[in-house]
Amino acid sequence: MIPIKYRLDSTAEEEYIDKALSCIPEHKAIDYSCKLEKLLNKMVQQGRPAAGAILNKAKRFSSQYPDKWCLCEWLVMPYDEIAEIRKYLYELIGLDLEKMNICIENTGCRIMPIKSYHDLRKRRNLLYPTHKRIAGIVSTPVAYDCIYKDFTEFSEFYDDWSRKGINCWITEKTGLKVCPYCNISYTYNRGKRATAQLDHFFPKSEYPILALCFYNLVPCCPACNKIKLDDTEALASPYKDGAFKDLRITWTYNGSQNKYGENNSLAALEEMIEIEIETDDSAEQQNLTKLKIKEAYQQHKDYASEIIKKARVYTNSDAQKLICDIGASMGITPEEVERFYLGNYLDGNDLQKRPLSKMTKDFYQEIVCAKNKQSS
């Protein structure tokens, strides 16, 4: 619901690389770097330009990390490159799963289609004692097996994150104080303890090769992380450039009272409204559906009704002058009055600082626009 605008600079990149490498034995880091280089070269040969770009940029680490330069670039590659890697792996997995599902369907057995590589691994453990043909099909090696096996340990190395404080470091660096998926729950650190969980946007159960990539780790609240789990649907990452820029939170009136009245009490207004979240982006719609975001927002109608009421009052010129005068008498600057009165940040660059800031901003802007239309 809110983007993560933070990007690693060169100093932070080196700091993150050193932290990540501290979780990987030296000889294995060198081995992984070679394997990544081979994979990227293979992708280049198959006409994947993103792989070539990663290899070219990785050379900047060749002097400082002569045996691990490719791994270093892999750890800090931007989200759009991570998405391209995932797309390649997804297509690689999909081709084999499509063949498997056709073979399963031809057996006549009533078995659900295999949806993902993670699903395939679970099916292989079932053995299918009464369906020997199915057991034979799912045990057939697929092209992704080797890649998965080569980088399975990345998930194990990630388990060292918390002990070494890397999760706290990531949360602090991103500047997030609230969950970017829902913008409801606080996620700031408490000393050396993190209240945020790191969600692997592309799950490590499916893509362990991406388990240590900075821009695949999203600090979020436990509720969103638990609901998302190992979902592999086309969700929207907060790290994507332009994420959620067109998403809008609004409200509608329901029941017999279908419009706002100046004399509506907060309790009445709370009963009247239904909070709506709108976006034309299909991936963002998946976020709203999968993470049950709209359902979560219905629990905050009391706050929503307060914002509607406050914004209606504040857009009245006489009331605004009075509020500003009171603020000035208390040493509150004109720039601070809106935040002081509405109780939240309205600047798009500050939405990560406080819960429900996105809803506050969108509600206020909608009421201001409506007021301006009436005046013109």
Side-chain angles (χ1 to χ4, degrees), residues 313-348:
V313 171
Y314 192 71
T315 52
N316 177 287
S317 57
D318 292 334
Q320 185 175 129
K321 183 179 184 306
L322 177 61
I323 292 167
C324 289
D325 288 344
I326 294 173
S329 70
M330 299 176 66
I332 302 171
T333 67
E335 293 76 16
E336 296 172 331
V337 168
E338 282 184 345
R339 175 155 66 94
F340 176 79
Y341 177 69
L342 294 172
N344 219 320
Y345 292 92
L346 299 178
D347 191 315

Side-chain angles (χ1 to χ4, degrees), residues 20-183:
L21 290 179
S22 72
C23 299
I24 308 174
E26 177 76 9
H27 69 285
K28 292 198 173 186
I30 295 172
D31 181 50
Y32 287 130
S33 192
C34 292
K35 288 178 178 177
L36 288 170
E37 185 180 358
K38 289 178 181 178
L39 174 64
L40 291 168
N41 278 318
K42 184 177 180 180
M43 291 176 63
V44 170
Q45 293 169 7
Q46 295 177 0
R48 304 277 179 162
I54 295 170
L55 282 170
N56 286 332
K57 286 194 302 176
K59 294 174 183 176
R60 63 194 172 121
F61 294 115
S62 59
S63 59
Q64 188 173 356
Y65 306 93
D67 299 320
K68 303 184 287 286
W69 55 275
C70 195
L71 173 59
C72 291
E73 181 63 39
W74 190 267
L75 293 170
V76 297
M77 62 180 168
Y79 169 77
D80 60 341
E81 291 178 352
I82 293 177
E84 285 298 317
I85 297 294
R86 185 264 183 180
K87 181 180 178 182
Y88 168 76
L89 298 175
Y90 181 80
E91 291 172 359
L92 187 66
I93 297 167
L95 290 173
D96 285 327
L97 293 188
E98 184 178 358
K99 295 174 185 176
M100 279 191 173
N101 285 327
I102 291 173
C103 291
I104 290 172
E105 187 177 353
N106 290 339
T107 66
C109 298
R110 295 184 177 180
I111 305 293
M112 291 292 291
I114 303 169
K115 297 181 179 179
S116 65
Y117 186 76
H118 182 56
D119 187 14
L120 173 61
R121 291 178 61 240
K122 291 194 294 185
R123 303 289 187 95
R124 285 172 171 173
N125 291 330
L126 292 177
L127 301 178
Y128 293 101
T130 59
H131 298 289
K132 298 297 183 182
R133 292 177 64 190
I134 300 295
I137 292 169
V138 299
S139 63
T140 303
V142 297
Y144 187 60
D145 285 340
C146 292
I147 298 175
Y148 187 91
K149 183 179 180 181
D150 279 345
F151 296 96
T152 302
E153 281 189 312
F154 273 16
S155 294
E156 297 171 12
F157 297 145
Y158 173 78
D159 293 338
D160 208 19
W161 245 227
S162 179
R163 186 174 66 83
K164 295 196 172 180
I166 300 176
N167 52 349
C168 286
W169 184 88
I170 291 174
T171 301
E172 187 174 331
K173 282 292 181 183
T174 57
L176 287 172
K177 292 186 177 180
V178 291
C179 176
Y181 286 132
C182 65
N183 191 215

